[in-house]
Structure formats: C-alpha cells, structure tokens
Amino acid sequence: MATSFDLNGKVALVTGGGQNTGLGIGRTLAEYGATVVVNDVIPERAESGAAAIRDDGGSAIAAPFDITDYEDVATAVKAAEQQVGPVDILVNNAGLPIGGQMLPFLESKPEQWRPYIDINVYGSLNMMHVVLPGMVERGWGRVVQISSGSGSVASRGLGGSMYGAGKAGIEGAVRHIATEVGPRGVTVNTLALGLMEKLRETIESGVSPVLNAIWQGNIMQHLGTGEDVGAACLWLCSEAGEFITGQTMHLNGGSFPGR
Ligand SMILES: NC(=O)c1ccc[n+]([C@@H]2O[C@H](COP(=O)([O-])OP(=O)(O)OC[C@H]3O[C@@H](n4cnc5c(N)ncnc54)[C@H](O)[C@@H]3O)[C@@H](O)[C@H]2O)c1
C-alpha cells in the first residue's frame, strides 16, 4: 500500500534551489528526511540555500552549476552523487533566466527569445538526461517539473510568449518521457504554478493590470509560497505519489478554475 510520505534515505536535487520557490521545495523535502542537493547558477545562493536547510536541522549540500550547460550538469551531478549518493528525486525548478525580460512579442528581438527556451526546455532536458538512467536502473525515481499557468493560458498584457513557449515545450516533453520511464518505476509530473508570494509588492502597488486581473480571479486570495509547492512535491516524490504520472497539476489558489 503506497501511503508513506517518508523520504529518509532519498537524495533530492532541486534546480534553482537557492531562493524563493526552490528553497521552499528543498526545505520541505528535507523536513521529510531527504538529503537535498541545492543547485543554483549563483554559487552564493546554492551555498546559502543548503545552509538554510542545515540550520532547519536537515541534510543538504550545495551544487552550483548552470543547468543549461550539459557538460557542466553531467560533471556536477556526478560529483554530488559521489558525496551523497545517487539522485532519487529531481525537481526541475529553475525556469526564470537571470536578466530575462517579459515583453510583447512584436517588441522583442530574436536574441531575447532563447533564454526562456534554454532554461526551461534545454536546462530541464539536460537534468533529466543525466539523472534518469540511474533512476531507471535502480527501478525507482521521481521527477517534478515546475511550470507555470503561462504554459497553457495566455493573459492579455503579460508579454509571456517566450516564457509560455518554454513552459509549454517542456510540459510536452515530460509527458512523453513519463511514458518511457514509468514501466521502470519512475514517475514524471508537472506542477504549473500561479501567482507567487514574491509578486505581492507588484500586485499591491497596482502597477500591473494583468497581474491584478489574475489576482482577482484567485479564489483563495492566496499567493503561493515555496512551502505550498513543497507540499505538492512531497506527495509526488514519496511512495504515496506512485499512482500519478504524466500529469500537469495547477497550483494557483483557484485562478482559472477547472485547471
Ligand atoms: N514567481 C512566480 O510568480 C512564478 C509563477 C509561476 C511559475 N513560477 C516558476 O517557479 C520556478 C521558480 O520561480 P522563482 O520565482 O522561485 O524564481 P527565482 O528566480 O526567484 O529563483 C530561481 C533560482 O534559479 C536560479 N537559476 C537561474 N538560472 C539558472 C540556471 N541556468 N541554472 C541553475 N540555476 C539557475 C537563480 O539564480 C535563482 O536563484 C520557475 O520555474 C518559475 O518559472 C514562478
């Protein structure tokens, strides 16, 4: 009977885990026993994220690397595995490129498109390509892809075309990947997030009519926290999550009901 949420003995790697959502996810998985590998492209963030988890009483190491660089990913994952053991759980959380800018497509330049595809599609594919063979070989694994409502819904004035392309692209890929690895004990699911706590100031200032319109539709009037996302990851990544794979679940306080 698959009912345990215990992650003792499991190693979880969270990309972009140094702050905000990724840190909340890492903290939650560590609270339930996982050893967390905190990745971030900014080394200080990886270090401070791992330190925060250890301060909570959890087990964590920092793994600074750029998920968009396949060689970097392969080398760094191998080094982390030598320290703490094979990766059982991967949370592909990094999805906002450093310095990325949301803007209307017609006002964008081609060089502004690539970062959203690089981080969401190539970055997540790099991670899965490196860790999935080990999971499949051991007959157990969990992958959670962090996406956004922007992967399936467009909002007038958001300027989210490239962000949406990155999120929709990787959501499409992970569904198919789930079919390949499921028979070998590995589940792959997507969590599509809505407005998060970090946007509170922008929403309260009223400078973004599109964000305020989405906020109006948020049934629970709740901005998401890393721990909200961590709770969903905990379920998907534990034994209790064994019955769900290949799915996209929307965590958004009830914005866009029915999703
Ligand atoms: N913030 C929101 O309102 C919101 C809404 C919907 C979905 N999301 C999604 O949630 C996820 C996390 O968002 P957040 O707001 O916590 O982001 P954030 O930017 O606050 O944190 C993400 C971390 O990723 C790191 N990072 C960036 N590029 C990287 C790379 N190439 N390799 C490794 N690490 C890298 C950054 O240094 C940063 O510390 C993203 O996938 C984002 O698209 C966020």
Side-chain angles (χ1 to χ4, degrees):
M1 185 87 154
T3 51
S4 173
F5 292 96
D6 182 15
L7 298 182
N8 273 292
K10 304 290 190 206
V11 171
L13 193 162
V14 182
T15 68
Q19 65 175 20
N20 295 326
T21 311
L23 181 55
I25 294 168
R27 281 190 138 129
T28 306
L29 299 183
E31 189 187 335
Y32 283 80
T35 294
V36 179
V37 179
V38 180
N39 157 259
D40 207 289
V41 72
I42 298 181
E44 299 73 33
R45 285 188 189 164
E47 295 292 349
S48 66
I53 291 172
R54 289 194 299 269
D55 287 349
D56 291 346
S59 169
I61 62 165
F65 60 88
D66 180 352
I67 64 163
T68 67
D69 180 330
Y70 188 88
E71 295 310 319
D72 210 5
V73 170
T75 307
V77 169
K78 197 169 164 195
E81 289 190 325
Q82 277 166 356
Q83 257 186 284
V84 293
V87 173
D88 304 293
I89 294 166
L90 167 67
V91 182
N92 274 329
N93 165 74
L96 294 170
I98 307 273
Q101 209 188 342
M102 305 270 271
L103 75 182
F105 179 65
L106 295 184
E107 291 170 23
S108 68
K109 298 192 179 81
E111 61 269 24
Q112 290 170 311
W113 305 341
R114 198 171 293 274
Y116 288 98
I117 310 297
D118 276 347
I119 190 167
N120 284 292
V121 179
Y122 284 98
S124 303
L125 292 175
N126 288 343
M127 292 303 305
M128 288 187 284
H129 201 256
V130 167
V131 303
L132 279 172
M135 293 182 185
V136 162
E137 198 182 310
R138 293 185 298 278
W140 197 93
R142 299 284 189 261
V143 176
V144 178
Q145 180 66 44
I146 301 299
S147 186
S148 157
S150 299
S152 56
V153 178
S155 304
R156 188 157 73 109
L158 190 65
S161 53
M162 283 304 113
Y163 185 54
K167 293 303 192 187
I170 193 61
E171 279 185 43
V174 299
R175 257 175 235 130
H176 289 273
I177 293 169
T179 69
E180 294 181 30
V181 298
R184 310 289 295 277
V186 181
T187 68
V188 185
N189 290 288
T190 296
L191 296 176
L193 314 185
L195 301 180
M196 300 294 287
E197 193 55 56
K198 119 175 174 186
L199 295 168
R200 180 175 292 282
E201 221 177 286
T202 312
I203 289 166
E204 287 179 351
S205 72
V207 295
S208 171
V210 60
L211 292 186
N212 282 79
I214 298 170
W215 176 233
Q216 284 303 314
N218 181 309
I219 295 172
M220 303 308 293
Q221 286 294 285
H222 178 109
L223 293 169
T225 64
E227 284 68 19
D228 289 327
V229 185
C233 287
L234 172 64
W235 170 48
L236 294 173
C237 295
S238 64
E239 292 298 337
E242 193 175 291
F243 192 46
I244 178 164
T245 195
Q247 305 300 320
T248 296
M249 195 181 308
H250 289 257
L251 304 188
N252 56 21
S255 303
F256 311 111
R259 276 179 199 284

